[in-house]
């Protein structure tokens, strides 16, 4: 394994969630890595038709397939509901692309849904002025999450979904290629609330630069922790993307 393939594995842990908005907590993704984006095409209509479980399952399956394709590489990812955004070394694309094709076949044959998959080099995003920054937050002994900052994820998704530009990054559907879903599990059981309510917040700072945005996020996190942890209950977090307006 090359040194660059240990990029995410070697990142230091963030132990306090309040430190997540700090720009100094993030490291730029190596230019030798790629942004991998998957999503179910037409997911909105599928969800409206009551197929949200199928859509969500394929989103999770894309993460499982990529991680199983790279069992010796620790990769950061974020679940997007109808797909996922992940990073992987470009040196391992020969393992990743067949897994993505297998995922597409699973979506087509098993769910009658189409799955988009695209791979965007980090170097191209950076050359266009879009940074991809990564941090690693440990919420507990057994739970850790990737954190992302910069405009690279949003721009990469836009490139992949663009009807013309996206052709350069698309993983073309084909019958060859297999995905390994070992370890995939989704019980669809509701998470019980300890205090009667479950609240999910999506917050995006309307700021012109990262420092101002970070200050806003720190204030929001501080206020939430002050409310929720007053009685000793921890704040649960899945992931965070730091973005400006």
């Amino acid at each position: 394994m090359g040194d660059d393939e240990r990029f995410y594995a070697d990142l230091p842990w963030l132990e306090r969630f309040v430190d997540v908005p700090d720009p100094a907590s993030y490291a730029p993704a190596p230019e030798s890595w790629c942004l991998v984006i998957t999503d179910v095409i037409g997911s909105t209509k599928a969800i409206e038709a009551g197929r949200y479980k199928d859509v969500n399952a394929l989103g999770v399956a894309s993460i499982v397939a990529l991680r199983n394709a790279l069992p010796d590489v620790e990769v950061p990812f974020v679940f997007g509901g109808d797909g996922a955004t992940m990073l992987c070394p470009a040196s391992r694309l020969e393992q990743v692309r067949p897994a993505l094709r297998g995922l597409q076949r699973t979506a087509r044959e098993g769910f009658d849904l189409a799955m988009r998959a695209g791979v965007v080099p980090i170097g191209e995003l950076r050359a266009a002025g879009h940074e991809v920054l990564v941090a690693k937050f440990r919420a507990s002994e057994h739970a850790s999450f990737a954190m992302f900052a910069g405009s690279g994820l949003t721009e990469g998704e836009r490139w992949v979904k663009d009807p013309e530009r996206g052709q350069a990054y698309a993983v073309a559907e084909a019958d060859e290629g297999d995905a390994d879903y070992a370890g995939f599990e989704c019980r669809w059981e509701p998470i019980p609330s300890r205090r009667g309510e479950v609240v999910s917040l999506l917050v995006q700072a309307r700021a012109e630069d990262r420092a101002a945005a970070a200050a806003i996020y720190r204030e929001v996190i501080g206020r939430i922790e002050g409310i929720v942890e007053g009685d000793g209950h921890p704040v649960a977090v899945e992931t965070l993307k730091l973005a400006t307006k």
Side-chain angles (χ1 to χ4, degrees):
M1 180 188 298
D3 291 342
D4 67 322
E5 293 184 354
R6 292 194 53 82
F7 159 68
Y8 186 63
D10 289 342
L11 285 181
W13 294 105
L14 298 179
E15 302 286 353
R16 302 187 310 160
F17 188 54
V18 72
D19 293 330
V20 169
D22 186 353
S25 298
Y26 291 77
E31 293 200 3
S32 57
W33 280 49
C34 292
L35 188 65
V36 178
I37 294 172
T38 65
D39 76 293
V40 175
I41 299 173
S43 60
T44 299
K45 290 184 178 180
I47 292 172
E48 289 174 350
R51 301 189 63 190
Y52 74 94
K53 290 185 178 181
D54 292 343
V55 171
N56 286 175
L58 285 169
V60 174
S62 62
I63 297 172
V64 175
L66 183 136
R67 294 186 69 186
N68 285 340
L70 303 176
D72 59 334
V73 180
E74 191 173 347
V75 294
F77 62 85
V78 55
F79 172 60
D82 63 346
T85 300
M86 304 162 281
L87 297 181
C88 77
S91 58
R92 297 299 189 96
L93 287 179
E94 289 188 2
Q95 297 165 251
V96 170
R97 290 184 185 277
L100 294 175
R101 292 191 181 100
L103 172 71
Q104 291 173 323
R105 189 173 70 248
T106 296
R108 182 177 68 251
E109 297 178 357
F111 295 86
D112 194 26
L113 292 169
M115 196 81 180
R116 178 188 289 111
V119 178
V120 182
I122 295 296
E124 288 191 29
L125 287 165
R126 188 163 292 145
H130 300 285
E131 188 59 87
V132 176
L133 304 167
V134 189
K136 188 163 56 174
F137 170 63
R138 180 159 57 188
S140 70
E141 181 182 355
H142 303 291
S144 62
F145 304 94
M147 301 289 161
F148 297 95
S151 60
L153 269 66
T154 300
E155 189 66 12
E157 182 177 351
R158 190 180 70 82
W159 289 4
V160 167
K161 292 184 176 181
D162 184 89
E164 296 184 3
R165 186 167 194 168
Q167 296 179 20
Y169 308 110
V171 176
E173 288 198 46
D175 289 334
E176 66 267 18
D178 291 306
D180 179 1
Y181 304 114
F184 178 88
E185 183 177 283
C186 193
R187 301 181 183 181
W188 297 109
E189 295 179 356
I191 300 175
S193 171
R194 297 179 181 178
R195 306 177 70 184
E197 297 289 343
V198 175
V199 178
S200 177
L201 298 178
L202 298 177
V203 180
Q204 181 167 350
R206 296 178 60 83
E208 297 298 333
D209 58 73
R210 290 184 61 215
I216 294 172
Y217 289 129
R218 278 195 296 269
E219 181 179 356
V220 170
I221 292 169
R223 292 191 182 189
I224 292 173
E225 289 182 338
I227 294 170
V228 178
E229 294 187 343
D231 294 330
H233 295 282
V235 176
V237 57
E238 289 188 2
T239 192
L240 180 69
K241 286 197 302 182
L242 300 187
T244 57
K245 183 173 58 177

